[in-house]
Amino acid sequence: MKTAEKQRIQQQFQEKMDYDELLNCMRCGFCLPSCPTYMESGKDEAHSPRGRIALMKAVVDGDIEPDEDVKRSLDMCLGCRACEPVCPSGVNYGHLLEQARDIIYQNQQQSIPVKVVRKAAFQGLFPHQQRMIGLTGLIGFYQRSGLRTVARKSGAMKLLPESMQLMEKVLPDVPTSKSMKQRQRHFQPTVPLKKRVAFFAGCLMDTVFLPTNDATTKLLQYAGCEIVVPEAQACCGALHGHSGEKQQAKKMAKRNIEAFEEAEIDYIITNAGGCGAFLVDYGHLLKDEPEWKARAEAFSSKIKDISSVLVELGFEKLPLSLQDEIITYQDSCHLKNVQKTFMEPRKLLSSIDGAQYVEMKDAGRCCGSAGIYNLVETEMSMQILDYKMEQTKATKAKTIVTANPGCLLQMKLGIEKEGLSDQIRAVHIVDLLLEAYENANSTYSNQSNSSSI
C-alpha cells in the first residue's frame, strides 16, 4: 500500500470503527478453538478472531499501519461468525469485520482488472435478477448443448485450476431461462390454512437452484401456508456486505424492505442460511439512517428459516420416509451462528422413517465455502474441506444434508475430490424433506388403493 492509502485507511478506521465493540474483546481466547482459520493455520494468532480484533484496534490506536499484513489477516477470515456464540462478552465480530473490510476496499487503490471484475459482479450482475437469469441461461446452454461433453472429453477443462475443474463438475443442471422467468408468485396451501408467509427467493437460489426453491414452496403448501413471492425483491446483499461493498448492500436492503413491507404476512421465509443471516442484520446495516432503521428492524423481525417454520407447524409429525440410509447434517454457519437455528433441522431429519440420523463431529465448523471464499482463498478453503470430509466419512452417511447453496456445492466438491460420487450424495434439506414426504405419502396412497381393490 502507498503511504497516502495507509493514512486514508487509518483515518477512516478511527472515524468509523466501533471502538466500544473493539474494547469488548477481553482476549480470553474462548473463540480460538471455534475458528477454522486459526486451527488450520497452525494456530496463528493473526488468523484468529481475537488476533484480528487486536489488529483492528491497533490500527485505530495508531500503533500499527493498515498494511498488507493487516488486510491479509482480514481477507483470510471466512466470516463464519462461529466465534460469536462462544464469546462471553458477546462481541459482534461479524459487524467489526464488515466495517474493517469496507473501509479497506473503499480506500485502497485497486488494479484495473480487479475494479472491472468487482464492478461487473457487485453492480452489474447481482442487483439485476434478469441478468442473473441471462447468465444462468448461458450455463444451461453449455450443459445441454453438448459443449460440456466436448469440453470434458477434449481435455480443455485441464487448462483451468483443479478447484475450478471440480466446481464445474458439481454445478447442478440449471433450469431453462423460460422456467426461471415464469416464476409463480402466489401459492395456496394444500391443507387448511395455518400461516400466510412471503418467500425470499434470492438470486442464486431462484436461478441455479430454482428446483430447491420450488421444493420449498411445496413444503410450505403441505405445511398449511399461503405463500406470496414479491416480484420486486432482489439479491439480499450478503456478498456485497462481506466483500467491502457496504453502500451497494444498503441499496439491496432498501429495495427488499420496500418489496416486502406491503405484504400482510406472518413471516418472511428463507431457505439459504447466508441470505437469512444478512436479512436478519438489516437493522444493523441501516442503523445510521433514521428513516430506514425502524423499517429494517420490522422487516428483519419477520425473517424465519424454512426449518423453523416447518417445526412450528408440526411438519415432522407428518408421514416422512426414505429407504434405509444413514444421513448426516452439515450446519450452515450463518443459520447456526446468526439465526440461532440449530435443533430444528436435526428434529426434522430425525423424524424421517427409514433414515438413521448420525451427528457429524464438528458439524458446526465451516465447510470452507463462505460465499466466494473457496474461489479467492482456495488453498485454505480446500484445507478446511479436507477436515470436513474426514468427519463426514466417519459417520458412514450416504447422504449429507445442508441448508445453504454454498455449503451444498462445497460438500459436493468434497465428495468429488474424495472420489466418492458413486457412494455419497449431498442435498439441500428441503429437497430431502420433499423426497421423504412424497415417498411416504405415495406409499400410503398405494397401500390405500391396494386395500380398496
Side-chain angles (χ1 to χ4, degrees):
M1 292 185 191
K2 296 179 181 178
T3 301
E5 287 176 349
K6 291 179 182 178
Q7 292 175 343
R8 190 164 59 245
I9 290 170
Q10 189 148 33
Q11 182 179 353
Q12 290 285 298
F13 260 69
Q14 292 167 346
E15 293 176 359
K16 294 183 177 180
M17 289 298 297
D18 187 337
Y19 198 71
D20 289 338
E21 197 67 69
L22 290 172
L23 289 175
N24 278 342
C25 178
M26 302 185 301
R27 313 291 191 267
C28 65
F30 279 26
C31 60
L32 300 181
S34 69
C35 177
T37 54
Y38 173 74
M39 299 300 291
E40 294 297 333
S41 65
K43 299 186 177 180
D44 184 345
E45 278 282 352
H47 297 314
S48 74
R50 74 173 181 184
R52 293 180 178 110
I53 290 173
L55 290 174
M56 295 178 207
K57 184 177 180 297
V59 171
V60 175
D61 292 341
D63 294 333
I64 62 172
E65 292 183 328
D67 57 16
E68 288 296 335
D69 289 338
V70 173
K71 180 178 179 295
R72 182 66 186 141
S73 174
L74 299 179
D75 283 345
M76 186 66 80
C77 180
L78 292 147
C80 67
R81 297 173 71 168
C83 50
E84 292 183 15
V86 299
C87 178
S89 299
V91 175
N92 288 305
Y93 172 82
H95 296 164
L96 292 172
L97 179 67
E98 286 180 7
Q99 286 176 342
R101 281 178 171 171
D102 184 59
I103 291 169
I104 290 173
Y105 277 95
Q106 295 305 314
N107 290 280
Q108 184 184 27
Q109 186 66 36
Q110 296 169 345
S111 67
I112 292 177
V114 170
K115 280 184 178 179
V116 170
V117 170
R118 287 180 67 89
K119 185 172 183 179
F122 294 126
Q123 297 180 37
L125 180 60
F126 285 102
H128 307 282
Q129 191 63 6
Q130 290 304 310
R131 295 177 188 175
M132 289 290 295
I133 291 173
L135 178 60
T136 306
L138 290 175
I139 296 172
F141 175 77
Y142 162 77
Q143 292 175 334
R144 290 186 291 270
S145 66
L147 286 174
R148 176 170 61 181
T149 303
V150 171
R152 290 178 178 178
K153 287 186 175 180
S154 67
M157 296 304 301
K158 294 181 180 179
L159 298 174
L160 298 175
E162 183 182 357
S163 61
M164 292 297 290
Q165 293 178 44
L166 290 172
M167 190 63 72
E168 188 270 346
K169 282 187 178 182
V170 303
L171 273 179
D173 289 335
V174 302
T176 64
S177 296
K178 182 179 180 181
S179 63
M180 287 184 279
K181 290 176 181 177
Q182 294 179 343
R183 146 66 71 193
Q184 188 174 337
R185 297 289 168 184
H186 189 220
F187 302 81
Q188 292 293 343
T190 58
V191 297
L193 177 67
K194 294 181 181 179
K195 296 288 182 183
R196 189 172 192 272
V197 302
F199 177 45
F200 184 83
C203 51
L204 281 175
M205 288 303 300
D206 219 36
T207 50
V208 177
F209 297 94
L210 181 60
T212 299
N213 270 6
D214 290 341
T216 302
T217 52
K218 283 184 180 180
L219 288 181
L220 290 170
Q221 286 178 287
Y222 292 145
C225 293
E226 179 185 357
I227 311 146
V228 294
V229 187
E231 191 169 1
Q233 65 178 293
C235 168
C236 67
L239 284 176
H240 302 81
H242 301 330
S243 303
E245 297 285 342
K246 198 171 184 179
Q247 290 307 309
Q248 190 66 40
K250 287 183 177 182
K251 290 180 182 178
M252 297 292 94
K254 292 171 184 177
R255 182 171 163 184
N256 284 321
I257 291 166
E258 289 178 332
F260 282 86
E261 62 187 356
E262 294 300 319
E264 296 180 3
I265 51 171
D266 298 301
Y267 304 125
I268 299 171
I269 306 300
T270 66
N271 62 2
C275 296
F278 202 72
L279 297 172
V280 165
D281 258 355
Y282 274 5
H284 173 78
L285 182 67
L286 298 171
K287 65 183 176 64
D288 297 324
E289 300 188 36
E291 70 276 22
W292 283 98
K293 185 175 183 291
R295 293 167 71 181
E297 290 173 347
F299 172 91
S300 294
S301 69
K302 293 183 178 181
I303 299 297
K304 205 171 187 73
D305 183 70
I306 177 69
S307 62
S308 292
V309 75
L310 289 178
V311 169
E312 180 179 327
L313 297 177
F315 188 83
E316 77 281 4
K317 298 173 185 176
L318 298 178
L320 301 168
S321 70
L322 293 171
Q323 298 298 321
D324 290 342
E325 63 178 295
I326 299 173
I327 59 177
T328 193
Y329 178 67
Q330 162 61 24
D331 282 290
S332 157
C333 296
H334 290 104
L335 184 61
K336 176 180 181 287
N337 300 325
V338 182
Q339 290 181 266
K340 313 301 181 188
T341 301
F342 173 79
M343 289 308 301
E344 293 90 335
R346 290 165 170 80
K347 188 171 186 178
L348 290 164
L349 295 173
S350 297
S351 69
I352 301 174
D353 290 336
Q356 178 189 351
Y357 177 75
V358 177
E359 182 72 13
M360 182 196 304
K361 180 185 176 184
D362 290 335
R365 185 189 285 194
C366 185
C367 64
S369 173
I372 58 172
Y373 188 93
N374 56 1
L375 298 178
V376 297
E377 298 290 348
T378 303
E379 184 178 349
M380 177 58 77
S381 174
M382 293 302 102
Q383 195 172 327
I384 291 168
L385 179 58
D386 288 343
Y387 176 82
K388 182 61 63 177
M389 290 308 298
E390 287 178 21
Q391 312 317 313
T392 299
K393 287 186 287 187
T395 67
K396 302 188 184 305
K398 299 301 180 185
T399 299
I400 308 169
V401 185
T402 71
N404 189 62
C407 302
L408 179 59
L409 288 179
Q410 184 79 340
M411 296 311 294
K412 285 187 174 185
L413 195 151
I415 292 169
E416 191 72 34
K417 194 165 176 274
E418 295 286 332
L420 298 172
S421 56
D422 60 338
Q423 301 174 43
I424 304 176
R425 64 171 178 161
V427 298
H428 193 288
I429 187 170
V430 300
D431 292 312
L432 189 73
L433 290 174
L434 181 62
E435 179 186 340
Y437 178 89
E438 294 188 339
N439 181 63
N441 286 276
S442 172
T443 302
Y444 176 78
S445 176
N446 291 337
Q447 289 173 345
S448 297
N449 290 337
S450 297
S451 63
S452 65
I453 294 174

